Amino acid sequence: MTMTPEVLRSDPESEYWFAEGCFILERLNTPEDPALSIARARVLAGGVTRWHRLHGITERYLIEQGSARVEIGHGAGMLVQEVGPGDVVIIPAACPQRIHNTGKCDLVFLALCTPRFVPEAYEDCSADAAD
């Protein structure tokens, strides 16, 4: 694959609500660049995403704004931690996860996926998880 120099402009009007419980603004997600996707996620104050996992995709959250509590994994090995601006959260492929906005403003973070996010990899596992 040959990449060419290019600048991709953000279009705030293309933000959409995702049933996971957050707004998504795709920044980069094309078959021409299958190694990586980048999306901006926004969780409203007090909001929490559904338990979910991505099969075959490692995800990283780069927290840009707000405060949150992430929950990653399950059982005795579950990671539960408070995060804020500048923190990077690493979520291995197929690992159950969710994030709570614990602040009074929108939680905003970049979701970087390798390889790129595809809808077929997404699994809602809320029914399997204990709250």
Side-chain angles (χ1 to χ4, degrees):
M1 178 178 79
T2 304
M3 305 269 302
T4 58
E6 139 177 55
V7 173
L8 303 173
R9 303 268 183 217
S10 181
D11 176 13
E13 297 297 316
S14 66
E15 181 183 65
Y16 61 91
W17 174 255
F18 187 51
E20 178 183 313
C22 60
F23 290 93
I24 297 292
L25 177 61
E26 294 282 355
R27 303 302 311 274
L28 172 71
N29 191 350
T30 66
E32 294 77 31
D33 191 359
L36 170 72
S37 65
I38 304 170
R40 185 195 72 190
R42 186 167 59 88
V43 180
L44 299 176
V48 59
T49 61
R50 297 177 61 81
W51 278 105
H52 65 284
R53 68 178 122 220
L54 301 180
H55 294 281
I57 298 172
T58 298
E59 192 168 20
R60 296 142 190 98
Y61 290 169
L62 172 56
I63 309 299
E64 293 189 314
Q65 170 188 305
S67 57
R69 182 177 65 252
V70 295
E71 297 173 283
I72 306 167
H74 58 279
M78 180 187 292
L79 170 69
V80 178
Q81 192 160 342
E82 301 296 318
V83 295
D87 291 341
V88 175
V89 179
I90 299 171
I91 305 156
C95 197
Q97 59 171 296
R98 70 177 175 178
I99 190 165
H100 296 253
N101 181 343
T102 58
K104 297 186 186 303
C105 65
D106 288 353
L107 169 68
V108 178
F109 58 94
L110 295 180
L112 300 104
C113 294
T114 55
R116 80 181 184 97
F117 175 83
V118 290
E120 305 80 51
Y122 181 88
E123 178 189 358
D124 183 313
C125 48
S126 290
D128 300 334
D131 285 329

